[in-house]
Amino acid sequence: MQLFLLTAHEIHELLIKKEISAEELNKAIYARIEAVDDRIQAYITRTAGKALDQARAVDKQISNGEKVTPLAGIPIAIKDNICTDGIKTTAGSKILSNYTPPYSATVVKKLEAAGATIAGKVNLDEFAMGSSNENSAFFATRNPWDTSRVPGGSSGGSAAAVAAGAAVCSLGSDTGGSIRQPASFCGVVGMKPTYGAVSRYGLIAYASSLDQIGPFARDVTDCALMLNAICGHDPLDSTSAKQRAMDYTSFLKDDVRGLKLGVPEEYMVEGIDPDVRDLVIKAMEKLESLGAVVEYTTLPHTDYALPTYYLIAQAEASSNLARYDGVRYGVRTEGTGDVMDMFMKTRSEGFGAEVKRRILLGTYALAAANYDHYYLKALKVRTLIKEDFVQAFKRYDLLLSPVSPTTAFPIGEKMDDPLQMYLSDICTISVNLAGMPGLSIPCGFVGGLPVGLQLIGRPFDEGTLLRTAYTFEQNTDYHKQYPDL
Amino acid sequence: MPRYETVIGLEVHVELKTRTKIFCDSTTEFGGEPNTHVCPICLGLPGTLPVINKKVVEYAIRAALALNCNIAEFTKFDRKNYFYPDMPKNYQISQHDLPIATHGYLEIDTQKGPKKIGISRLHMEEDSGKLVHQGTITTTPFSLVDYNRAGVPLIEIVSAPDLSSPEEACQYVEKLRTIILYTGVSDCKMEEGSLRCDANISVRPVGTGRLGTNTEIKNLNSLKALRRSLHFETERQIEVLRAGGRIVQETRTWDEGKGETLPLRSKEQAHDYRCLPEPDLVPLLIDRQWVEDIRGSLPELPEQRRQRYIKDYSLPEYDAAILTNTKELADYFERCVRAYSHPKAVGNWILGEFNRLLNLHGIEIAACKVTPQNLVSLLRLIDQGTISGKIAKVVFAEMFTSGQAAEAIVKKKGLVQISDRHAMVPVVEKVLAGNPGAVADYKAGKGRALGFLVGQVMKATQGQANPELVNKLLKERL
């Protein structure tokens, strides 16, 4: 039995039957990290020592006959833009390469309270800006299905770690597709919950009105277990919603009969790889055969989503990233003149090219002379895009689409063409602008590379997403296939 | 040559004395070792988020209502972006286009009578930290930052350009300070920086409708600095215009030592704050009932109180104004009046000896040892003729330092007034015999001589003689 290929709920059964111990499990995952991470390069910081202590505590609880949660002892990888008390948190940036937070993000506290162990901190595009992990200041994480290809981004490390068996589950963050696209590229389940469903406290901000933390898992059940642990109102995050606590596993029913699913035609045409489109159509047919009603629909303002996203996200980013100036923490360029000189040199040397590009774009969009034409207009268009979804959800319970127009692309292919890189987010960014929940679930392979199907739901209706994804999963076997490493 | 008039508008920052900061639960206490009143949130550490302190909103509404403002139903926060090391996030969370309150006013007294000064807006924002230099900012080899003050809540109160002289500007600030002190939301200590002031000033030929180009003056740490800088700037601007020049729109700083305003930055160098709605905070919907509850909890404000003193207590305008200048003084006055129904006498004592000794010893009313009850007892001793008004001052001074009751001091020191005719007659006769000159003067029609003789009797009795009785006895014998 290869422990590192099991899901959390399978492992939980073994733990409570005392067939394995949490310590063995964590050692097995750590051995797997040792075995494969030279090739995958998912981890920036490994925390095996701390994880083993946490695991032994869980074993003690189990041997004392105490009830433990389904995530007790389960090794989870954390995207390195989520703060961990006493563990280096870099956001994939040189400017924070020496930064250790004095507090943990709310999601980390919640996972630890559930008994989960922290396997380590995983790679990302610098400050979550990118779609390939190539913008990390440290190294590019590889796709476990083909190590010459990208794992997607920005949560590429989180997706690759789970796909490679180097963590059972992981946390990522999604601002324009940063959970769903790497989940699609790496063949795992990844979910961006509704904006406000999960606390952002402790998530190093990229674009505050779009950022959302969410889970990666090997199947839909684990995804639901992760949601159970991390969702809920947080008094430390004013934008977190005051929702009733719920058991997301209660939605795991193999039944989509009567559900009405819409497929936005704008997501199925331009630029979509025909093989990817075929797999999405096959998935539509599968769900139809299982009793759902599937129809084409429209999101008419889709063309404006990309510019709208890039204005809003970058405007917020230019402000959010202003605090990295070398004064209080992080890397400071020494030997500079006055304080403004120190700011400029620290930021010039500390940030990578893509981050600088986005800060400049956002600064430009917010300048007094441009505000009305760019930022304010983008806010208005955002309302229209949201309205598209509101209209669509009057007729459909869920929307279906590809996650990404293509499968994982070769490392280096799009690095010289940022616009081409941005275009690969076309199916995912509107979901962030509208604040809806979105999920990527494996729906097949093209040339040995996984493809994800995107499900988009009504705000706070993660339940219907999980139910549909679970039904699809129970009637397919894509999630049971593993990369050969 | 045209005559010029001055147009002034003020921006006043007031620190709110909530227990905790505006977006976290670090203490707002003044002082403390550098960087001890901080937490990850007010230090702006990566990943932290602000959460609005409800007390700050309540206090802002409280101040705004006292300044006759409209309270917004929908208000939001914005980020003001600029780089400066005393700001932990390199942006300040403030309110840009939808402040919590607008359209208020307060009244100042001018020679032409009361004048309404408009208050355009009142908004909430966070304070910054403080830079600590070795020597001056230009020569220091390095600077340190203390973030204790970062995140302390402020309200910024922006006046309309309704002030026409430096004196009016000072009056406005004093009035604003009094009102805010009444509401209890701030200490308003200019010297500790809990009330800070920037001024916008322009001049124009008398009779012109249009405003002239203005300059902004910063670094005004006292009313004196405000008045002096505005006088200087008025003269400077008039001189420039009279010489045929143009006023440059710029920010200037007040140099107290040189006694002049100096250019700080031009309009071109002004910050573009790149304001954007703060995405980490949700807009606030201000519940009307809450506003009414806060309105209901406001104390009687100085203006209303002053009117009441004039009407109900028949106090002169001047007395009423001074007594209501601070809430503490007015409260003290009213506690006395409740126990003793001669408001004018109470007022005289409070504005006289009481205030004099408070100022002399630099004592706040709260720390004063004389209770209203004790002051009233002293006044009753005068009324009953037990002591004279003159002796009362001696007794009061003793009460002020020892905190003892008036009766006890009078008894202990044997200060009881001599009202016994038989005891007084020999003293009066002795004085008359000893001052034939004065007696002769009086008889020659010089009324003033009587005063001298009364004084001599008082002197002989160490002030204990009942003045009325002395007068009576002297007249009988002259």
Side-chain angles (χ1 to χ4, degrees):
Chain A
M1 177 177 57
Q2 289 183 311
L3 274 180
F4 60 81
L5 290 180
L6 299 181
T7 60
H9 58 95
E10 289 164 344
I11 292 167
H12 180 66
E13 292 302 314
L14 299 176
L15 284 173
I16 56 173
K17 284 185 201 151
K18 295 179 188 160
E19 287 179 24
I20 58 162
S21 71
E23 185 176 347
E24 277 172 70
L25 166 70
N26 279 268
K27 282 181 171 165
I29 295 296
Y30 193 65
R32 177 69 174 172
I33 294 172
E34 295 276 276
V36 300
D37 205 44
D38 285 352
R39 282 170 283 153
I40 303 302
Q41 303 210 68
Y43 283 84
I44 295 175
T45 304
R46 303 175 190 180
T47 50
K50 198 180 171 204
L52 283 179
D53 290 342
Q54 292 166 312
R56 287 187 199 106
V58 169
D59 285 332
K60 207 168 164 197
Q61 283 179 298
I62 294 173
S63 68
N64 288 346
E66 291 170 42
K67 194 165 163 27
V68 295
T69 79
L71 291 182
I74 304 294
I76 290 171
I78 310 288
K79 189 177 182 181
D80 211 21
N81 60 351
I82 298 173
C83 288
T84 40
D85 190 355
I87 301 170
K88 204 171 66 166
T89 300
T90 67
S93 181
K94 182 182 166 191
I95 211 162
L96 286 180
S97 55
N98 62 357
Y99 178 65
T100 300
Y103 76 100
S104 280
T106 298
V107 285
V108 171
K109 283 191 177 162
K110 285 187 164 205
L111 285 176
E112 285 178 337
T117 68
I118 307 300
K121 305 298 294 289
V122 284
N123 202 19
L124 66 156
D125 289 292
E126 184 177 3
F127 285 104
M129 297 177 180
S131 309
S132 70
N133 245 258
E134 294 163 286
N135 292 334
S136 166
F138 308 117
F139 42 80
T141 298
R142 310 291 169 130
N143 192 312
W145 294 88
D146 176 349
T147 55
S148 73
R149 289 173 186 266
V150 303
S154 65
S155 312
S158 309
V162 171
V168 179
C169 299
S170 65
L171 284 184
S173 65
D174 189 317
T175 308
S178 280
I179 289 174
R180 291 156 288 157
Q181 184 251 28
S184 170
F185 281 11
C186 293
V188 295
V189 176
M191 182 169 197
K192 181 201 95 72
T194 311
Y195 186 80
V198 179
S199 167
R200 292 186 294 118
Y201 188 76
L203 169 66
I204 295 180
Y206 159 20
S208 313
S209 75
L210 302 161
D211 293 344
Q212 189 62 188
I213 292 173
F216 288 88
R218 286 202 202 107
D219 69 7
V220 178
T221 305
D222 278 12
C223 181
L225 291 173
M226 286 288 282
L227 288 182
N228 279 354
I230 64 172
C231 286
H233 175 67
D234 179 4
L236 293 176
D237 177 1
S238 312
T239 64
S240 84
K242 294 196 171 99
Q243 3 145 33
R244 268 183 304 122
M246 60 174 103
D247 178 6
Y248 290 95
T249 61
S250 67
F251 299 103
L252 302 176
K253 295 192 180 97
D254 183 358
D255 179 11
V256 288
R257 282 172 301 169
L259 281 184
K260 289 195 76 178
L261 313 181
V263 179
E265 50 200 16
E266 292 83 357
Y267 290 179
M268 291 294 278
V269 282
E270 238 178 304
I272 305 292
D273 181 303
D275 293 333
V276 169
R277 185 165 51 210
D278 287 349
L279 286 178
V280 173
I281 290 169
K282 268 177 70 184
M284 288 161 59
E285 290 164 359
K286 184 82 188 171
L287 287 164
E288 212 163 18
S289 75
L290 294 167
V293 177
V294 185
E295 290 171 5
Y296 278 99
T297 182
T298 177
L299 297 172
H301 292 92
T302 299
D303 275 355
Y304 304 104
L306 205 67
T308 300
Y309 170 84
Y310 274 91
L311 285 169
I312 290 173
Q314 281 22 301
E316 290 178 11
S318 71
S319 175
N320 283 331
L321 270 62
R323 70 189 66 192
Y324 308 108
D325 58 11
V327 172
R328 292 157 298 276
Y329 46 79
V331 175
R332 173 195 301 177
T333 300
E334 296 295 344
T336 55
D338 65 9
V339 70
M340 289 300 156
D341 188 45
M342 182 188 98
F343 283 180
M344 286 191 269
K345 290 192 173 132
T346 295
R347 290 167 65 80
S348 295
E349 290 178 18
F351 290 136
E354 182 61 28
V355 170
K356 283 185 213 166
R357 175 158 36 233
R358 296 191 189 198
I359 289 173
L360 287 173
L361 184 62
T363 305
Y364 183 80
L366 285 177
N370 305 329
Y371 186 88
D372 289 355
H373 308 302
Y374 295 117
Y375 185 69
L376 192 63
K377 184 145 284 175
L379 289 183
K380 290 176 181 170
V381 179
R382 182 179 188 171
T383 307
L384 296 176
I385 290 169
K386 202 170 182 172
E387 188 57 26
D388 281 357
F389 282 92
V390 170
Q391 290 307 323
F393 284 125
K394 283 184 180 162
R395 299 173 58 199
Y396 302 102
D397 299 304
L398 274 188
L399 300 179
L400 291 186
S401 79
V403 173
S404 175
T406 64
T407 54
F409 45 85
I411 289 172
E413 187 188 82
K414 296 187 181 179
M415 276 307 270
D416 297 331
D417 189 351
L419 199 59
Q420 202 53 43
M421 189 82 92
Y422 297 170
L423 281 170
S424 70
D425 296 333
I426 188 69
C427 300
T428 48
I429 48 175
S430 294
V431 180
N432 297 76
L433 288 170
M436 310 287 167
L439 178 148
S440 173
I441 183 169
C443 71
F445 294 84
V446 171
L449 294 169
V451 172
L453 170 71
Q454 178 170 236
L455 309 180
I456 304 165
R458 296 188 181 105
F460 299 103
D461 191 16
E462 278 78 3
T464 305
L465 285 191
L466 291 169
R467 174 181 156 197
T468 309
Y470 182 78
T471 304
F472 186 76
E473 184 182 82
Q474 293 305 302
N475 294 281
T476 55
D477 65 354
Y478 309 118
H479 65 292
K480 290 190 178 138
Q481 301 184 32
Y482 306 104
D484 189 17
L485 276 168
Chain B
M1 228 184 269
R3 284 198 312 117
Y4 286 89
E5 61 184 8
T6 314
V7 179
I8 300 167
L10 295 179
E11 292 170 15
V12 176
H13 286 89
V14 173
E15 247 176 34
L16 299 179
K17 57 175 186 189
T18 51
R19 195 176 54 78
T20 56
K21 292 186 179 179
I22 184 167
F23 299 123
C24 66
D25 57 12
S26 294
T27 176
T28 54
E29 214 174 292
F30 182 74
E33 285 295 299
N35 298 310
T36 53
H37 299 168
V38 294
C39 75
I41 297 169
C42 57
L43 284 176
L45 293 189
T48 56
L49 300 170
V51 175
I52 181 68
N53 179 344
K54 192 174 177 188
K55 208 77 191 167
V56 170
V57 184
E58 183 191 318
Y59 279 15
I61 293 174
R62 204 171 158 78
L65 288 173
L67 296 169
N68 307 297
C69 290
N70 292 343
I71 308 299
E73 292 187 21
F74 180 94
T75 184
K76 69 175 174 75
F77 287 95
D78 301 273
R79 292 184 184 177
K80 229 171 128 175
N81 294 286
Y82 62 100
F83 281 87
Y84 205 68
D86 65 3
M87 285 207 306
K89 305 180 290 291
N90 283 321
Y91 58 79
Q92 181 194 30
I93 304 178
S94 179
Q95 298 197 279
H96 180 51
D97 53 345
L98 294 168
I100 180 123
T102 54
H103 296 97
Y105 67 87
L106 60 73
E107 265 183 15
I108 58 170
D109 297 310
T110 68
Q111 283 158 343
K112 292 180 204 154
K115 179 176 174 183
K116 260 190 193 179
I117 306 299
I119 289 170
S120 325
R121 55 182 285 160
L122 180 154
H123 71 251
M124 303 173 276
E125 61 186 26
E126 58 179 340
D127 209 345
S128 60
K130 269 183 186 160
L131 292 186
V132 183
H133 308 295
Q134 267 189 349
T136 71
I137 188 164
T138 44
T139 58
T140 187
F142 58 84
S143 300
L144 301 170
V145 204
D146 176 4
Y147 291 107
N148 281 353
R149 204 182 65 181
V152 166
L154 297 176
I155 47 174
E156 181 177 333
I157 302 155
V158 182
S159 86
D162 290 346
L163 299 158
S164 322
S165 69
E167 287 67 33
E168 283 190 16
C170 288
Q171 264 206 52
Y172 168 85
V173 173
E174 280 182 322
K175 196 62 182 279
L176 185 65
R177 185 172 170 274
T178 301
I179 294 172
I180 304 256
L181 280 171
Y182 260 73
T183 64
V185 303
S186 173
D187 293 331
C188 294
K189 290 181 181 162
M190 264 187 128
E191 64 281 10
E192 280 183 17
S194 64
L195 188 150
R196 283 168 257 160
C197 182
D198 300 332
N200 284 294
I201 172 169
S202 62
V203 298
R204 63 182 171 195
V206 174
T208 321
R210 213 158 46 86
L211 286 172
T213 304
N214 72 307
T215 59
E216 185 182 5
I217 314 174
K218 290 195 176 285
N219 194 30
L220 303 172
N221 300 322
S222 65
L223 284 177
K224 196 177 128 202
L226 176 66
R227 187 169 50 243
R228 288 181 67 203
S229 68
L230 288 173
H231 273 299
F232 176 88
E233 188 60 16
T234 304
E235 293 310 312
R236 188 191 71 81
Q237 290 192 9
I238 291 174
E239 255 174 56
V240 169
L241 292 175
R242 287 207 166 131
R246 293 179 64 176
I247 304 299
V248 180
Q249 192 180 351
E250 62 186 354
T251 302
R252 302 175 71 87
T253 182
W254 171 244
D255 187 319
E256 182 77 41
K258 290 186 183 154
E260 49 188 284
T261 65
L262 302 168
L264 197 64
R265 54 178 173 264
S266 70
K267 190 189 172 195
E268 287 68 37
Q269 290 165 308
H271 298 295
D272 176 351
Y273 290 121
R274 292 175 282 116
C275 286
L276 81 157
E278 169 55 272
D280 289 332
L281 290 167
V282 287
L284 302 175
L285 299 171
I286 308 293
D287 180 48
R288 294 297 100 181
Q289 188 53 50
W290 191 37
V291 173
E292 289 318 306
D293 290 349
I294 296 170
R295 197 193 299 278
S297 77
L298 278 177
E300 187 185 27
L301 293 168
E303 196 52 41
Q304 303 156 329
R305 213 167 194 181
R306 185 169 70 144
Q307 295 306 331
R308 181 163 63 84
Y309 285 10
I310 294 168
K311 189 166 159 276
D312 294 1
Y313 299 148
S314 309
L315 290 185
E317 184 112 3
Y318 177 81
D319 291 14
I322 307 273
L323 282 172
T324 52
N325 211 6
T326 70
K327 186 170 180 295
E328 287 70 22
L329 194 65
D331 286 347
Y332 189 95
F333 169 74
E334 285 187 31
R335 277 201 292 274
C336 293
V337 171
R338 227 169 283 148
Y340 180 78
S341 53
H342 302 289
K344 177 71 180 125
V346 173
N348 285 345
W349 268 87
I350 289 180
L351 298 180
E353 282 304 284
F354 186 74
N355 253 356
R356 189 178 69 83
L357 292 178
L358 284 180
N359 290 336
L360 188 67
H361 297 282
I363 289 175
E364 304 271 342
I365 291 176
C368 177
K369 288 177 180 166
V370 182
T371 64
Q373 199 52 54
N374 282 353
L375 179 59
V376 166
S377 304
L378 180 72
L379 297 180
R380 288 221 170 93
L381 289 179
I382 302 172
D383 289 351
Q384 291 155 5
T386 312
I387 54 170
S388 66
K390 195 168 174 193
I391 290 293
K393 288 186 183 175
V394 179
V395 175
F396 186 74
E398 176 76 19
M399 290 164 70
F400 197 88
T401 46
S402 70
Q404 278 180 292
E407 292 85 346
I409 295 167
V410 168
K411 206 170 170 192
K412 187 178 73 188
K413 298 210 161 178
L415 295 173
V416 177
Q417 182 165 267
I418 307 168
S419 301
D420 179 351
R421 201 180 164 89
H422 297 292
M424 283 301 299
V425 169
V427 184
V428 168
E429 287 182 344
K430 198 178 166 196
V431 166
L432 286 173
N435 294 282
V439 172
D441 284 351
Y442 183 77
K443 288 188 171 161
K446 291 186 182 168
R448 270 191 306 147
L450 180 65
F452 173 77
L453 292 169
V454 173
Q456 292 303 304
V457 177
M458 295 308 283
K459 194 174 168 190
T461 57
Q462 276 111 47
Q464 282 174 260
N466 180 332
E468 280 171 41
L469 180 63
V470 174
N471 258 298
K472 198 169 167 228
L473 291 174
L474 281 171
K475 281 184 179 165
E476 282 171 11
R477 281 157 181 78
L478 284 165

